[in-house]
Amino acid sequence: MTFTRTATDADVPFAEIPFEPDLLERLCRIDTDVVFFPVRHHSPVAARLVAELIVNRQPSAVLIEGPSDFNDHFHELLLEHDLPIAIYSYFRCQESHFGAYYPFCEYSPEWLALRQGNHAGAIVRFIDLPWAGVAQRDQGAHRYADAELRRGKYVRHLCERMQVEDFDDLWDKLIESQASISLEEYFRRVHAFCYHTRLWEQPIGDSDIRREAFMAEQIRLMRRQTNGQLLVVTGGFHSSALAARLDGYRCPGASDDEATSTTDKALPKIEDAGISLTSYSYSRLDNLTGYEAGMPNPGFYEHAWRQRQGAGEYSHQPLLVELVNELRDRRQTLSTADLIAVETTARALAALRGRFHVWRRDLIDAVTSSLIKDELEYGCQSPFVDAIHAVLRGKRRGRLAAGTRLPPLVHDIRHQLNEANLEAKQGVRSVTLDLLEAEDLSRSRLLHRLRILGIVGFERTGGTDFLNRADLTRLWEEWRVRWSQEFDSTCIEASRYGTSLADAAGAKLAERSQTLDRDAARAAELLVQAAQAGIETLSATLLQRLNDLIEEEPQFIGAAGALGHVLYLYFHDEAFGTNHSPQIARLLAVAFERSLWLLESIGQSSGNERVVLRGMQALLETCQRASGSSVAAIDRAEFVAVLQRVERDARKPAAVRGAAAGMLWTLGVADDEQILADLLIFTSPSDLGDFLAGLFALAREVAQRHAKLVQTIDRLINEFGADDFQASLPSLRLAFTYFTPREKHYMLTTLFESLGLKQVKPLEALHVDAVSAAQALAFEERVFEMIARFGLESPPESTDGAAHE
């Protein structure tokens, strides 16, 4: 199979592409001092051939694309791990934290190269730039991806020519499904494919140029140190550039000038870095669930790898057995007829595609066409498609061998869990904590820190809601602790945030705060999380970021929501240690000032008055409690002046003006007569209930004891017609929900007494809801109006008993 290009193949003239036939010929040779083995990461065929090449050629050194800063710990890869595992590289740069993975499974060519090379007595080294040198230009977290190959115009063009769906199918057709492909043919196909992909992909990215310059230098160093043959195992996209740099050929991105201009750029200072092994899983390796640009369906390729390694014939039928079992686990039925249909269709598709055996795409398409009877809507899932992907994905999870070096954070987490008797063991246990007990509070902080870092196995299942604070009569939590295979890997991944648990949790919160954009309420929720994890997690960076977010908040609701959280932590916290903390006091002052400033910017009604009223309640409580506290920045005179302007502003919603009046009344600034005068401004059915809702929300204690206010409300409601009363009823009912049943009874008794109704006859029980009663009253009123309009009233009786005519 030959890969060539004509002038009509694309919109780029062929003359502009520096095609070097000699370079391609050089790449395909295996008798030179440096052999370039091109791989697609996690390719079983590449893994088999690279192992055979090492056995047959016995190179003096095997140089592999991988993080060169792991070379000092290379012996750890030779331990008896259960694959898949990954090298995890991480570093901290200013306030940013970066991490990347180099995954290995049992059929990864890099894994076979390093194991077989070590067995053959060769020098084995990783030659790629350390992750810290790559991340500023390429922050892809999965370093053994093949994005360069799958995204190019050449690949799309070739898929059209060979009538396949995508790059994965193209690779399967050219390489993976060819069980007996020779090394020479593999080199010819893969080098030609990758070289042409590079030619079509100009300009080459800065990250690739920088990495290739570094790898080429590592090869030169090894050339000088050894006399034998060198085997260079890298992604096929890089092979042509490395050969060009070493042997003087032309290739896009292989110029020393390009490399110099790229590598001379200044890099931010790295404050902390580390690298270690971590366990991995097929679910993470699979590009269907997160491995965006790698070999899909690792369970399928492991199946093919193991069958071929066992000197047996590849067969897809064990996968069909797994499919039946998977569907049974999902409570889905697959009849014998359905299974026959899948088998027949898969074989037919394989034959149509020129294969002698059923391959990955054939199975997926056979299940889709045979088992899905109805059209799938966009975004909908099918249990059959999900099941076949689960089977092809595989369930394998890796485990590190005993003696593997672990980052300091992992040891700190294990030590603290052991001290707190919270180690996750086999099975599930429930832990209930009383947050007013010192020992339980310490355990709670530990669990919240693990939760912030995403350490699996620890789940909060119940307890006091410190965000909504609906019930604070009991301060408690309930956690579910369970063992998970992902525990070690999530601990290792969290190591990029720090070496101790408290520092790492604080750094993670600070990083999370950087993702918030002008959202003060969400920022204050982070503050509550930090308080739950212990005041030690409140780093200066986090506090400054929260301060900035509150100062930049454009909406009153957001700023006042933040104020509510900070207010609770500063004045009411009994458990977390934030009560009257100077750090929280500064945030409280900032949140109060911003909320007060934004209060005057509130416009007409937007349907969220209840939330606005809660924010105004937070303002009032902060002002009341700030007297005598360390929150010196709160100016009562300025607060009163703002409330007076809001109360008089006709552009403000009735509920907000009512709340401002209630706040002034509560503070003793407004007298009873002023409140009654304000009430008479809002006598329309659409405004009365809203004004009272604001008034009652902020002056509940004063309002319920004011007989004249209750009488005035009664008079205004009695003046409504039936339709007006029905229109005002929802907002009136909402306004009176601010009172307890006892308080409403007291107000009603006060009204009856003021009307001289001291002996009130008990009302008959109403067997319909209030809305239905109001609708019936309005209907009755309209009937009476119609009777009066058409003169149908009963004539009044005369004094002498005769009726008027």
Side-chain angles (χ1 to χ4, degrees):
M1 187 171 294
T2 304
F3 299 91
T4 59
R5 179 173 178 182
T6 65
T8 59
D9 281 344
D11 53 353
V12 181
F14 184 74
E16 294 182 12
I17 297 188
F19 179 71
E20 287 271 9
D22 292 342
L23 172 58
L24 191 55
E25 181 182 351
R26 162 67 182 86
L27 288 169
C28 293
R29 293 177 59 185
I30 62 173
D31 58 351
T32 56
D33 63 333
V34 179
V35 177
F36 296 95
F37 194 108
V39 304
R40 183 188 180 189
H41 305 297
H42 314 303
S43 163
V45 168
R48 173 180 65 85
L49 292 174
V50 76
E52 291 177 0
L53 180 62
I54 293 173
V55 171
N56 294 331
R57 302 292 301 185
Q58 293 291 303
S60 60
V62 178
L63 307 180
I64 304 169
E65 179 186 340
S68 56
D69 51 337
F70 194 77
N71 284 330
D72 291 340
H73 313 290
F74 187 82
H75 63 279
E76 295 180 12
L77 289 168
L78 306 179
L79 299 175
E80 294 303 316
H81 306 287
D82 292 337
L83 299 181
I85 63 171
I87 296 174
Y88 181 65
S89 180
Y90 56 92
F91 71 95
R92 179 163 57 90
C93 187
Q94 297 175 350
E95 297 305 325
S96 299
H97 306 82
F98 302 90
Y101 305 88
Y102 299 78
F104 302 99
C105 57
E106 64 179 83
Y107 56 84
S108 297
E110 296 85 357
W111 181 257
L112 269 292
L114 68 90
R115 300 282 288 203
Q116 194 65 50
N118 180 75
H119 182 73
I123 300 172
V124 183
R125 294 287 185 271
F126 289 124
I127 59 170
D128 203 351
L129 263 177
W131 164 238
V134 179
Q136 284 81 4
R137 294 173 176 84
D138 178 5
Q139 295 182 11
H142 297 273
R143 304 311 304 166
Y144 282 161
D146 46 29
E148 300 95 340
L149 298 181
R150 67 170 63 244
R151 72 190 175 201
K153 293 179 289 185
Y154 180 70
V155 172
R156 294 195 301 270
H157 185 75
L158 205 55
C159 286
E160 293 176 5
R161 283 285 189 92
M162 302 193 71
Q163 298 181 346
V164 294
E165 187 170 329
D166 55 24
F167 170 65
D168 296 319
D169 293 336
L170 177 65
W171 181 265
D172 279 350
K173 186 169 185 176
L174 293 176
I175 305 298
E176 297 303 331
S177 63
Q178 308 295 321
S180 59
I181 189 172
S182 66
L183 177 66
E184 292 74 15
E185 182 63 19
Y186 173 87
F187 265 45
R188 194 173 67 83
R189 291 189 182 191
V190 177
H191 274 311
F193 171 76
C194 294
Y195 178 43
H196 282 83
T197 299
R198 189 178 184 99
L199 293 179
W200 283 49
E201 196 54 32
Q202 302 181 60
I204 306 302
D206 286 351
S207 173
D208 288 324
I209 295 174
R210 179 177 172 79
R211 291 171 57 209
E212 289 159 359
F214 184 88
M215 288 191 281
E217 184 57 31
Q218 301 305 302
I219 298 170
R220 291 189 188 101
L221 289 174
M222 188 59 66
R223 243 180 178 176
R224 292 194 289 267
Q225 295 173 11
T226 61
N227 296 321
Q229 189 176 57
L230 307 184
L231 176 62
V232 178
V233 182
T234 66
F237 186 80
H238 306 297
S239 298
S240 55
L242 294 177
R245 284 180 176 276
L246 292 171
D247 297 338
Y249 295 100
R250 289 194 309 159
C251 182
S255 165
D256 287 340
D257 293 336
E258 292 178 81
T260 301
S261 65
T262 304
T263 55
D264 282 347
K265 295 180 180 178
L267 302 177
K269 180 181 178 182
I270 296 174
E271 299 176 5
D272 186 30
I275 191 167
S276 64
L277 294 179
T278 183
S279 58
Y280 217 63
S281 67
Y282 276 179
S283 63
R284 300 181 69 178
L285 194 64
D286 187 7
N287 72 353
L288 297 176
T289 56
Y291 194 56
E292 284 292 325
M295 290 279 283
N297 307 129
F300 170 81
Y301 290 106
E302 180 193 85
H303 170 78
W305 165 260
R306 289 191 168 187
Q307 285 195 328
R308 288 171 173 173
Q309 288 299 105
E313 289 294 327
Y314 162 79
S315 172
H316 68 282
Q317 291 185 341
L319 296 173
L320 290 182
V321 174
E322 289 186 40
L323 174 62
V324 172
N325 293 331
E326 181 70 25
L327 287 170
R328 285 174 179 167
D329 292 342
R330 295 169 181 252
R331 300 182 184 277
Q332 297 291 326
T333 302
L334 187 66
S335 67
T336 303
D338 287 334
L339 189 58
I340 292 172
V342 171
E343 170 73 8
T344 304
T345 305
R347 288 183 178 275
L349 288 171
L352 186 65
R353 290 162 176 165
R355 285 193 275 261
F356 297 105
H357 43 249
V358 174
W359 204 247
R360 182 185 65 90
R361 175 61 66 182
D362 306 324
L363 284 171
I364 295 173
D365 290 347
V367 167
T368 304
S369 61
S370 302
L371 302 183
I372 299 177
K373 312 300 182 184
D374 301 315
E375 182 179 359
L376 283 178
E377 295 185 8
Y378 180 77
C380 294
Q381 299 294 318
S382 163
F384 299 109
V385 175
D386 290 344
I388 188 61
H389 279 305
V391 168
L392 300 182
R393 179 182 305 124
K395 300 177 181 179
R396 190 170 301 281
R397 293 175 179 272
R399 185 174 60 181
L400 297 179
T404 305
R405 178 182 51 92
L406 297 173
L409 177 64
V410 182
H411 295 293
D412 186 39
I413 290 174
R414 287 179 174 176
H415 172 72
Q416 292 195 40
L417 287 173
N418 181 60
E419 290 290 313
N421 192 27
L422 288 172
E423 287 182 302
K425 301 176 182 177
Q426 292 291 345
V428 179
R429 61 177 169 137
S430 179
V431 178
T432 302
L433 304 174
D434 182 349
L435 300 183
L436 297 181
E437 296 290 334
E439 183 178 349
D440 281 1
L441 177 60
S442 177
R443 299 171 87 198
S444 170
R445 287 173 173 170
L446 168 59
L447 291 167
H448 276 286
R449 290 171 185 178
L450 297 176
R451 187 186 189 194
I452 289 169
L453 290 172
I455 308 301
V456 300
F458 305 90
E459 179 186 4
R460 190 178 187 271
T461 57
T464 306
D465 184 351
F466 289 100
L467 291 178
N468 294 315
R469 298 183 287 278
D471 182 9
L472 297 176
T473 56
R474 178 189 174 201
L475 305 184
W476 66 287
E477 289 179 341
E478 186 173 66
W479 292 79
R480 180 183 295 122
V481 179
R482 61 179 178 83
W483 178 83
S484 170
Q485 289 181 315
E486 299 290 339
F487 171 76
D488 282 341
S489 62
T490 51
C491 290
I492 293 170
E493 291 162 23
S495 297
R496 68 182 185 268
Y497 293 103
T499 56
S500 72
L501 182 55
D503 290 345
K508 180 61 180 280
L509 287 171
E511 181 185 73
R512 197 177 296 170
S513 70
Q514 300 297 323
T515 65
L516 302 178
D517 184 20
R518 304 179 76 183
D519 193 338
R522 288 279 305 282
E525 290 178 9
L526 284 185
L527 181 63
V528 175
Q529 292 180 32
Q532 291 175 302
I535 196 71
E536 303 92 339
T537 61
L538 284 172
S539 65
T541 301
L542 175 61
L543 289 169
Q544 183 59 51
R545 178 58 180 161
L546 298 182
N547 184 93
D548 294 343
L549 286 168
I550 293 171
E551 288 184 337
E552 296 167 1
E553 174 59 51
Q555 300 293 330
F556 172 77
I557 290 175
L563 176 64
H565 291 313
V566 181
L567 173 67
Y568 167 76
L569 292 175
Y570 187 76
F571 286 113
H572 302 294
D573 172 30
E574 300 178 57
F576 304 135
T578 60
N579 195 294
H580 288 86
S581 161
Q583 298 167 308
I584 305 299
R586 289 190 289 271
L587 281 179
L588 183 64
V590 171
F592 178 86
E593 181 180 352
R594 185 62 178 174
S595 300
L596 187 62
W597 188 82
L598 290 169
L599 179 62
E600 290 194 84
S601 68
I602 295 177
Q604 289 300 319
S605 174
S606 59
N608 52 10
E609 281 76 11
R610 295 279 283 194
V611 182
V612 172
L613 295 182
R614 283 200 297 272
M616 297 179 74
Q617 287 172 329
L619 277 170
L620 177 61
E621 185 179 353
T622 304
C623 181
Q624 290 175 314
R625 292 184 176 275
S627 177
S629 73
S630 59
V631 191
I634 293 179
D635 186 340
R636 178 185 169 93
E638 174 63 20
F639 181 55
V640 170
V642 171
L643 293 180
Q644 288 173 334
R645 291 196 294 270
V646 171
E647 180 199 23
R648 295 191 296 265
D649 190 347
R651 296 169 297 177
K652 295 286 186 288
V656 173
R657 295 180 67 185
M663 295 165 78
L664 292 169
W665 199 11
T666 299
L667 293 170
V669 177
D671 57 22
D672 300 347
E673 295 303 320
Q674 181 180 341
I675 298 302
L676 291 175
D678 287 343
L679 176 61
L680 295 178
I681 298 174
F682 299 94
T683 57
S684 69
S686 60
D687 290 337
L688 179 60
D690 291 340
F691 177 83
L692 292 176
L695 184 69
F696 293 161
L698 276 299
R700 195 184 97 227
E701 294 293 333
V702 187
Q704 64 179 300
R705 296 191 298 269
H706 198 278
K708 195 169 183 181
L709 174 66
V710 177
Q711 294 171 16
T712 304
I713 295 171
D714 178 67
R715 177 175 59 81
L716 293 175
I717 292 175
N718 280 322
E719 290 175 358
F720 287 162
D723 287 339
D724 288 342
F725 175 70
Q726 184 180 5
S728 66
L729 183 60
S731 59
L732 287 170
R733 292 180 65 197
L734 187 63
F736 280 90
T737 59
Y738 286 99
F739 298 107
T740 65
R742 183 180 294 275
E743 290 169 342
K744 284 184 275 192
H745 175 75
Y746 175 79
M747 295 175 72
L748 185 61
T749 301
T750 301
L751 175 62
F752 283 165
E753 289 178 352
S754 68
L755 297 175
L757 302 174
K758 295 185 179 181
Q759 299 294 328
V760 182
K761 181 180 179 182
L763 298 175
E764 295 289 336
L766 186 63
H767 297 291
V768 296
D769 60 86
V771 174
S772 299
Q775 291 173 344
L777 181 63
F779 176 76
E780 184 181 87
E781 186 72 20
R782 288 194 293 272
V783 170
F784 286 146
E785 290 176 359
M786 296 292 289
I787 290 174
R789 182 187 305 174
F790 293 102
L792 300 177
E793 304 97 326
S794 299
E797 297 182 357
S798 63
T799 55
D800 58 1
H804 292 282
E805 296 183 1

